[in-house]
Amino acid sequence: MDKGKLSDGICVLASIILIAMSIISITRAQRMSYEVNTGFFCAFFCLVPLILRRLKWVTLPLPFVLLIEVSIFLHAYGVLLLRYDFIPYWDTVTHTISSITVALCVFYTLMVVNEFDPDTRFKAKTIPLFIFLVMFTFSAYWEVFELMVDELTGTNMQYSPWDTIRDLVCDTAGALIASTYAVNYMKKNSENSFVDSLKLHPYVTKLILPFHKE
């Protein structure tokens, strides 16, 4: 099967399942609006890789698309079925997988910058460091975001100070796993071949590097 069609199929399937779960949560489980809205919101985001490919903006690698779908699906599943409340380590699992996903996104972005901007070169030895720096910054702001949401909406995204520390540890683990993958990937693959596989639209490259001159 064509990888693009397989990728699209995975996105559609994940989205349909989450929409169905959200509707069931409304009609039978009587979930709160926060939980149901999270389900529908995640269902839409499951379609983002498909939309990007169909618009010919970027074709994401199939394994990365699968990781994105797993991250989104597990989070929505945990919210809709209250797994975060009743399974102690559900948050640890979902947060770690999501951290790997975000860290890989950082890695892929750095490779694109390396390929298109001759004035900005991230050496292979420094890319893992940049992944960690970006992830630590993202982690800190995410915890602040969770606190703000809790204070403004009355949700319970941050269960305790221990939950915050655990999330930061998960982010560190995700960055470490992604950095290890990045080092091994760069040993076996060239930046040029990877960027070519993305099939980036010219407008996307200009959006990423607005000051780059052809």
Side-chain angles (χ1 to χ4, degrees):
M1 180 183 290
D2 178 75
K3 288 185 178 181
K5 292 182 179 179
L6 179 58
S7 174
D8 291 351
I10 293 172
C11 294
V12 171
L13 179 61
S15 181
I16 290 175
I17 294 175
L18 289 183
I19 290 174
M21 289 174 58
S22 300
I23 294 174
I24 292 173
S25 294
I26 295 174
T27 58
R28 296 184 181 181
Q30 298 181 343
R31 297 285 186 249
M32 294 186 299
S33 59
Y34 163 73
E35 294 150 353
V36 174
N37 289 337
T38 297
F40 284 119
F41 188 73
C42 289
F44 167 75
F45 264 88
C46 282
L47 297 175
V48 169
L50 180 154
I51 295 172
L52 293 176
R53 195 180 81 85
R54 291 300 179 92
L55 292 175
K56 298 182 178 180
W57 288 359
V58 60
T59 299
L60 298 175
L62 179 58
F64 186 51
V65 171
L66 182 59
L67 187 61
I68 291 173
E69 300 304 306
V70 170
S71 301
I72 297 173
F73 185 86
L74 289 179
H75 173 64
Y77 182 86
V79 172
L80 287 169
L81 275 71
L82 305 181
R83 295 297 186 254
Y84 284 105
D85 298 311
F86 298 114
I87 299 180
Y89 296 104
W90 187 267
D91 182 58
T92 301
V93 173
T94 56
H95 211 93
T96 302
I97 295 175
S98 297
S99 298
I100 296 172
T101 305
V102 175
L104 285 178
C105 185
V106 174
F107 169 53
Y108 293 150
T109 301
L110 292 176
M111 292 187 70
V112 171
V113 172
N114 263 3
E115 179 67 18
F116 285 99
D117 190 353
D119 297 325
T120 304
R121 297 295 302 175
F122 297 98
K123 297 180 180 180
K125 294 182 179 180
T126 60
I127 283 182
L129 175 61
F130 274 96
I131 293 175
F132 267 97
L133 291 175
V134 173
M135 285 300 297
F136 286 152
T137 304
F138 175 80
S139 299
Y141 278 103
W142 179 260
E143 296 305 319
V144 173
F145 168 75
E146 285 189 346
L147 178 61
M148 291 177 60
V149 171
D150 286 348
E151 292 295 325
L152 294 174
T153 66
T155 56
N156 192 30
M157 297 179 70
Q158 286 191 323
Y159 294 97
S160 65
W162 165 247
D163 175 71
T164 300
I165 297 300
R166 184 175 57 189
D167 287 349
L168 294 174
V169 171
C170 292
D171 292 336
T172 302
L176 179 61
I177 293 171
S179 297
T180 302
Y181 169 81
V183 171
N184 292 328
Y185 184 90
M186 288 183 293
K187 289 180 180 178
K188 301 176 182 178
N189 302 274
S190 66
E191 292 172 356
N192 182 264
S193 62
F194 170 74
V195 174
D196 286 345
S197 71
L198 296 178
K199 300 178 182 178
L200 292 172
H201 192 283
Y203 288 113
V204 175
T205 60
K206 291 181 180 180
L207 180 63
I208 298 173
L209 303 167
F211 303 109
H212 173 63
K213 296 181 179 180
E214 300 292 340

